[in-house]
Amino acid sequence: MVAPFRDWLAEAHDVDFSMKNADFGQALRHRASGSLVEPSDIWRYLNLFFDTEMHRQQAIAGAVEGINKLAEHADVVILTNLGDHRQEHRAQQLRDVGIHARVFTNSGPKGPALKAILDEYRPSRAVFIDDLPQHHGSARDVVPHIARLHLCGEPLLAPHIDCAHAAGDAHARIDDWASALPWLLDRLTGAELHGGSHEHEALTKESRT
């Protein structure tokens, strides 16, 4: 959502968006004055964007093909930090780009929600994919037995995101789907589940559309 959010802020609100570090709160500035946008206004813009502009979001390169390939071997579900009232809108958005998957909404750390999904599906293997390191830390704390891939496929964001693999919270950091897919398929279909137990088989992913 970073690129369409940036474009919409410039077009509709005369706000410049530029990530220079991992602090999202430092990325928005009023064009006329150059002053930072207040945190309360950042949340207002984000909510307005998701309420009215989600149609601008498109899948990152390789995501649709990659997810659908994984769906041949596993149950793919989407775990997204959007409010419950946006669940069906997100599901329809994903269907529109060719991803047909169950959508779970969440707020805050994803580990507990991920555990609930695993408790329901009771898979033999699982892989968790997310672009934000804090969610890998939460997953490691709550469901440490599953494989975890840190994948940030948005070029505007990726250089500024701390590496969950370097922090010990993810088993790998791969930022493009073409390179990530073989790694993922190996964890789902290989003889051994690298970096975790041999007990789970499903896929959860926060989509970066």
Side-chain angles (χ1 to χ4, degrees):
M1 52 78 66
V2 173
F5 182 57
R6 174 202 62 191
D7 296 343
W8 172 74
L9 285 172
E11 295 165 9
H13 299 284
D14 205 30
V15 168
D16 289 326
F17 178 96
S18 178
M19 292 288 294
K20 298 186 184 302
N21 53 50
D23 187 353
F24 196 85
Q26 300 292 311
L28 280 70
R29 291 183 178 272
H30 296 287
R31 183 172 294 166
S33 65
S35 61
L36 287 171
V37 174
E38 292 294 325
S40 60
D41 284 332
I42 293 176
W43 283 109
R44 181 172 62 85
Y45 286 138
L46 282 168
N47 283 314
L48 186 59
F49 177 83
F50 285 117
D51 284 340
T52 65
E53 304 297 323
M54 281 177 65
H55 62 276
R56 290 175 175 253
Q57 296 177 272
Q58 295 297 317
I60 62 172
V64 175
E65 298 82 0
I67 291 173
N68 287 334
K69 182 64 177 179
L70 293 172
E72 298 175 8
H73 305 279
D75 294 311
V76 174
V77 304
I78 309 299
L79 175 59
T80 180
N81 270 15
L82 288 177
D84 292 344
H85 64 289
R86 297 190 178 108
Q87 186 271 343
E88 178 51 35
H89 195 175
R90 173 65 92 204
Q92 183 59 56
Q93 178 191 34
L94 292 167
R95 288 192 292 269
D96 288 344
V97 299
I99 297 172
H100 297 267
R102 188 177 175 187
V103 174
F104 292 84
T105 52
N106 181 63
S107 62
K110 290 185 177 178
L114 182 56
K115 182 179 185 302
I117 293 170
L118 294 169
D119 287 346
E120 175 182 344
Y121 279 79
R122 299 187 64 81
S124 59
R125 297 182 181 184
V127 181
F128 174 65
I129 310 168
D130 204 274
D131 65 334
L132 296 180
Q134 61 266 33
H135 295 313
H136 288 282
S138 179
R140 185 201 63 180
D141 291 343
V142 179
V143 284
H145 54 280
I146 69 170
R148 299 174 299 277
L149 174 64
H150 188 181
L151 192 164
C152 185
E154 170 52 68
L156 294 174
L157 194 63
H160 309 294
I161 297 298
D162 292 339
C163 180
H165 179 236
D169 295 332
H171 295 102
R173 168 81 181 256
I174 307 172
D175 282 344
D176 68 277
W177 269 97
S179 302
L181 186 58
W183 188 96
L184 291 162
L185 289 172
D186 185 49
R187 267 86 195 147
L188 290 172
T189 65
E192 296 184 1
L193 182 60
H194 303 277
S197 77
H198 197 65
E199 298 176 357
H200 287 267
E201 184 168 62
L203 179 78
T204 61
K205 181 183 183 297
E206 162 59 37
S207 173
R208 293 293 93 193
T209 58

